[in-house]
Structures are given as structure tokens and as C-alpha cells.
Amino acid sequence: MTNDHDWETRVTALWERLDDHEPVDFRARVAALAAERPADDPAALFEQGAAHDSTGMPEEAVTFYRRALDLGLTGLRRRRAVIQLASSLRNLGRPDRSVELLTAERDLPADRLDADEQALSGAVDAFLALALADTGRDREAASLALGALAPLLPRYNRSLAYYARALLTAPDGS
């Protein structure tokens, strides 16, 4: 068995070459790396889920993500797993479940997240906006997306943030 740092380095290197591999080959390479770890290793399960997700197999990805989370996946991979699980569920026609997962993730107190996890807050908002739109909650989706965008603009930050919040209280069509 290899050490964690070596394994992580090889996983990262493989992901950097995702586009160099056919989907079946990429999944096989990730599975081979995962096989170096115990069968119940949450990180290895997450990587397999991500490999399936990134190669067009969301149903299989969901199984891996759920198992990794159930086994106590932590840190940045846990947050990524929630985002990716929610996205896969949305793509599989379960946007309500996606909204539930991402709303719970969004509601986590910032002091429970490290800087890398906090850096994914915009991704949580973006995927939640997609799921909200799929459930017919378009104004909430637009509000969330615009609110996430506002701090990134060189100007009009305050105005856009205000208008994003106003979408939730203004009657439709205004």
C-alpha cells in the first residue's frame, strides 16, 4: 500500500489528464487507484464517483457519492461530494432532492468550513440556482445567482446585490 501523499499526487495527476483518456479507460485508472485503498475508504469512493460523473454515468456516481458520505467523507472532498451528488440527482430528474442537499450545505456555519471548503460556496449557490430553476423557483434561482455574482463585479456590486434580494420580495413581472 502506498502512502497518502503519493496516492493523492497520483490522483491529482490523473485528473489533470482526464481529457487524454477515453471514459472507460479513465474510470478503470481511477478504479485501479481506488483499489490501492481499503474497500471502505471514503476518499477512494469519492474519486470513483467523480470519475463516473465526469464520464457521463451519473447513476453510478450517485452510488459512490452516497457511500463515501455515509462512511464519513470529510473536508473538501465532502463538500465536493455534496455538490456533485446534488448535481447528479438534478440531472437524473430529482431536482427537489438536489435543492434539499444544497440548501443544507449552504446553511452550514462558515466556522465549520476551512478556507478551501468556503471557496466552494459560490459553486454551492450556482448548483442550487440550477436546481431551483428546475423546480420552477426561477425568481429564487435568479436571486441566488445574481447575489453570488455581485461581489465579483468591478462596479455595481451594491446595486446588483440589492436587486438580487428584491427579486424575492417583488411581485412577478416587476
Side-chain angles (χ1 to χ4, degrees), residues 49-140:
H52 282 81
D53 211 356
S54 296
T55 59
M57 299 183 77
E59 287 181 40
E60 293 81 354
V62 165
T63 301
F64 282 110
Y65 292 147
R66 284 186 174 147
R67 187 148 181 249
L69 290 165
D70 289 347
L71 288 169
L73 189 65
T74 61
L76 183 59
R77 276 195 175 108
R78 186 209 58 80
R79 190 152 227 216
R80 289 177 57 205
V82 171
I83 293 166
Q84 291 168 212
L85 171 60
S87 177
S88 292
L89 289 170
R90 183 184 77 80
N91 288 330
L92 292 169
R94 300 203 42 219
D96 290 333
R97 182 66 181 127
S98 182
V99 168
E100 290 171 18
L101 287 168
L102 293 168
T103 298
E105 191 66 21
R106 189 169 194 265
D107 290 344
L108 288 176
D111 63 357
R112 284 194 45 203
L113 304 171
D114 68 23
D116 289 334
E117 292 169 291
Q118 287 181 24
L120 287 179
S121 293
V124 171
D125 288 349
F127 284 93
L128 178 55
L130 288 168
L132 287 168
D134 283 355
T135 62
R137 296 162 64 184
D138 296 338
R139 293 182 76 78
E140 287 176 74

Side-chain angles (χ1 to χ4, degrees), residues 1 14-15 24 40 45 56 64 78 84 86 88 123 125 129 132-133 137 145 148-149 151 158 163-164 167-169:
M1 184 170 296
L14 181 57
W15 276 103
V24 172
D40 61 351
L45 291 165
F64 282 110
R78 186 209 58 80
Q84 291 168 212
S88 292
D125 288 349
L132 287 168
R137 296 162 64 184
L149 177 63
R158 193 166 165 242
Y163 290 131
L167 278 173
L168 297 177
T169 57

